[in-house]
Amino acid sequence: MDTIRLDIQGMTCASCSTRVERVLRATPGVTAASVNLALETATVATEGPGLEALVEAVRDAGYDASEHVPGAPAEDPALTRSGGLVAVAGVLAGALMLPMFGVPLSPWVQLALAVPAQGIALWRFGPPAWGALKHRTANMDTLVVLGTTAAFALSLVNFEASLTHAGHGMLYFESAATISAFVLFGKWLEARARGRTTEAVRELLELRPATARVVRDGTDVEVPAESVGRGQIVRVLPGERVPVDGSVTEGRSSLDESLITGESVPVERGPGSAVIGGSINGNGTLLVETTASGGDTALARIAALVEEALASKAPIQALVDRVAAVFVPVVLAIAVATFVGWVAAGAGVQAALMTGVAVLVVACPCALGLATPAALVAGMGSAARAGIFIRDADALETLASVRTLAFDKTGTLTVGQPELRTPLDPDVLRLAVAVQRQSAHPLARAFQRAAPDDVPAATEVTEHPGEGVSGLVEGHRIRLGTAGFLERHGLVLPAADVPADLTPVWVAVDDAVRGVVGVGDALRDGVPEAIARVRSLGLEAVLISGDRQSVADAIGARAGISKVFGEARPESKVEALRGLDGPVGMVGDGVNDAPALAAADVGIAMGSGSQAAIASAPVTLTRTDPALVPAAVDIGRRTRAVIRQNLFWAFAYNVVAIPLAVSGWLTPMVAAGAMAMSSVTVVANALRLRLWTPARVDGP
């Protein structure tokens, strides 16, 4: 199955996006389709149709489509052209409104101004309205075209009579022109605001340098960054952006990774250190061996992740889509009923028609369609800038609802660099290190750091997640891990005095236990403050660890967590989660956390953790900063709150505005202004989320 992203042109309201989505889903071979009005994109899962077939389907529906280009340009030429169109429409409408302020205009002058104004309306809104009509449906453009055309046509009918009455009370050219001008102005403001919501992706993509300086035979050769192959050496001069992912082979410098990881403090990098493409080099020159370039870099993957997340739909959007599907036809029916009712009441055809036009114009569903996606784009974009990557809208909704946060210990609450705190016989140590040489587990790294020089090779090495590791070394069967792991193999553990706050690791050679070593790990800076912040959000914090209960209790006490589950194997971590007050979020970083991260209502993976952990979690933190955990919940809650506010005002606007228009309290001009500002208000409210930054959590 392939996934194809399309840029959609011509959508103006929720009815449009619903129509495009329905057309794409009806295309043979398409298994799923999702259209985002705020981003003007479509994501299509297809088992047959290619790009050309999907573009053709969208064009048949009255819109235009093209292959998605990641990251919109900083300045959209179409937006600039729209600004010019708005200016012209505004001047024409303003001139036609002069008689309202006592400035006389002859009917012929009004007609001369009204013709180009109506031409603008038909040129801008006519094609999509006609496309909708061909498919026996209606959208916002339909309402605008009907409203402006009705006012313009009625003025033409009255034009001859207006020549003898100076046009007073008989011409409605200003209504047609102001409707068009207000709607165009509102759509222009809305487009500018929507562009600002996508700045997170644009900022990420703009970090990618176009060229790289590859070292070949001692000479620097400038080549396109995407063409750099794995293993090639790239020179990065002071002040330049790193063009590739790689490892430093020579030189030392500090790198600014803030726009990638959210970490404001530059980090030191030297030989052997990994560097991220897009980060800014400090004062030193670096030689970097390439591990990834172009679309394979961490930056490119992050940008793709953000775009996919922004294109997703929140669960509540399904309700909006159902409403949008019937909204415009219902409004048309209300407008017709209003006209008939006013004529029946003796108001006259002209007054009834203008009242019906006001109903058509005021009831545009733009605000309704933008309420949810605009908030999602702004909120998830701000989270990305802070180093919090949320996979989709479902994850954000769940994140906002969590009541309990469960934390892993090693690598999450602790630094993840355990040390051997008690002695072990050197001969036993070299055997223990041998079976752990290839392991990435934090406890294995503690043994590796304490390794002697003469470590032998190991074979038949098997890792037992949450328990230990075994293998053959110099003809001996080596097992090391938890007490339960060794006991399950029939080994008898001697008495040992390991401090309660240290993790005991037992080592057995063949059929005899040869020793036990205590391993300790330091608490991360800022953990107690982060846990306090979790509690201030009304959440319960829980620690679930594979360590023995006494070690887990000691770490929990230092972190400020009272509810602690120790000696939890990967499967028992899942059982522990099921007994917590949900929805539950799980925070972890290791391979043994992957089942719990997947089983939790929402998993939060530390970016420095294993690939299994990151793949299992819908939320990823780009740095191991404990303050980002409560921050993720905070931005989730704020985004959900803005979505609810937007939907309330979008629905409330129509609940109030339509009856006012039906009763004659709104003129078409006022209706057009109110409709335009409703969309702008919703997007402006969403843009408040761009100001969000994680609450500062200071360590001791």
Side-chain angles (χ1 to χ4, degrees), residues 637-652:
R637 288 182 175 182
R638 289 175 186 267
T639 304
R640 182 181 63 180
V642 169
I643 289 173
R644 291 177 174 177
Q645 292 165 9
N646 281 353
L647 287 175
F648 170 79
W649 288 113
F651 278 110

Side-chain angles (χ1 to χ4, degrees), residues 563-615:
K563 193 168 188 176
V564 178
F565 296 87
E567 302 177 19
R569 299 176 63 192
E571 60 271 22
S572 57
K573 286 186 178 183
V574 174
E575 291 299 322
L577 289 176
R578 291 172 180 163
L580 299 176
D581 186 20
V584 177
M586 176 69 196
V587 187
D589 77 320
V591 173
N592 61 330
D593 298 323
L597 289 168
D601 294 290
V602 61
I604 304 174
M606 295 292 190
S608 62
S610 70
Q611 290 301 311
I614 294 172

Side-chain angles (χ1 to χ4, degrees), residues 285-602:
T285 297
L286 299 175
L287 292 182
V288 177
E289 182 178 356
T290 304
T291 57
S293 64
D296 295 328
T297 63
L299 176 61
R301 292 196 302 271
I302 287 172
L305 173 65
V306 174
E307 284 206 300
E308 289 174 10
L310 296 181
S312 63
K313 286 190 176 184
I316 198 171
Q317 184 67 27
L319 170 63
V320 176
D321 291 343
R322 288 196 296 271
V323 172
V326 299
F327 189 86
V328 174
V330 168
V331 169
L332 288 171
I334 294 174
V336 171
T338 299
F339 172 77
V340 173
W342 276 71
V343 170
V349 172
Q350 295 190 22
L353 185 60
M354 286 299 98
T355 305
V357 168
V359 173
L360 289 175
V361 174
V362 82
C364 172
C366 297
L368 192 62
L370 289 168
T372 299
L376 285 175
V377 169
M380 295 168 81
S382 290
R385 279 192 294 270
I388 303 166
F389 292 95
I390 303 170
R391 185 176 298 171
D392 52 39
D394 279 336
L396 185 137
E397 179 73 20
T398 307
L399 192 61
S401 305
V402 296
R403 301 178 65 179
T404 303
L405 280 174
F407 292 84
D408 171 53
K409 180 183 74 68
T410 303
T412 303
L413 294 181
T414 63
V415 175
Q417 293 184 348
E419 297 177 348
L420 305 187
R421 300 285 179 82
T422 59
L424 187 66
D425 181 273
D427 290 332
V428 177
L429 176 61
R430 62 188 290 274
L431 297 175
V433 171
V435 295
Q436 299 194 86
R437 175 175 278 173
Q438 303 303 319
S439 175
H441 193 282
L443 292 182
R445 289 197 293 268
F447 279 85
Q448 293 161 10
R449 283 189 289 272
D453 295 332
D454 58 338
V455 177
T459 59
E460 298 184 18
V461 176
T462 304
E463 290 200 41
H464 308 269
E467 295 186 302
V469 63
S470 62
L472 284 176
V473 183
E474 296 180 339
H476 299 286
R477 171 63 62 181
I478 308 300
R479 296 184 180 90
L480 73 157
T482 66
F485 175 57
L486 267 63
E487 287 174 342
R488 273 191 289 279
H489 286 84
L491 299 170
V492 178
L493 275 58
D497 185 18
V498 178
D501 61 343
L502 298 182
T503 301
V505 179
W506 296 85
V507 183
V509 180
D510 295 326
D511 296 325
V513 176
R514 295 288 301 276
V516 60
V517 62
V519 182
D521 195 4
L523 198 67
R524 286 190 183 279
D525 290 339
V527 164
E529 292 74 21
I531 297 302
R533 172 68 175 152
V534 167
R535 290 199 300 270
S536 73
L537 294 173
L539 305 175
E540 181 181 18
V542 175
L543 173 59
I544 303 178
S545 173
D547 263 326
R548 63 175 175 167
Q549 190 68 46
S550 61
V551 176
D553 286 337
I555 293 296
R558 288 157 58 191
I561 300 175
S562 57
K563 193 168 188 176
V564 178
F565 296 87
E567 302 177 19
R569 299 176 63 192
E571 60 271 22
S572 57
K573 286 186 178 183
V574 174
E575 291 299 322
L577 289 176
R578 291 172 180 163
L580 299 176
D581 186 20
V584 177
M586 176 69 196
V587 187
D589 77 320
V591 173
N592 61 330
D593 298 323
L597 289 168
D601 294 290
V602 61

Side-chain angles (χ1 to χ4, degrees), residues 8 90 183 263 292 344 368 415 452 515 554 558 612 667 688:
I8 309 295
V183 174
E263 175 58 69
L368 192 62
V415 175
R558 288 157 58 191
T667 66
R688 293 188 302 113

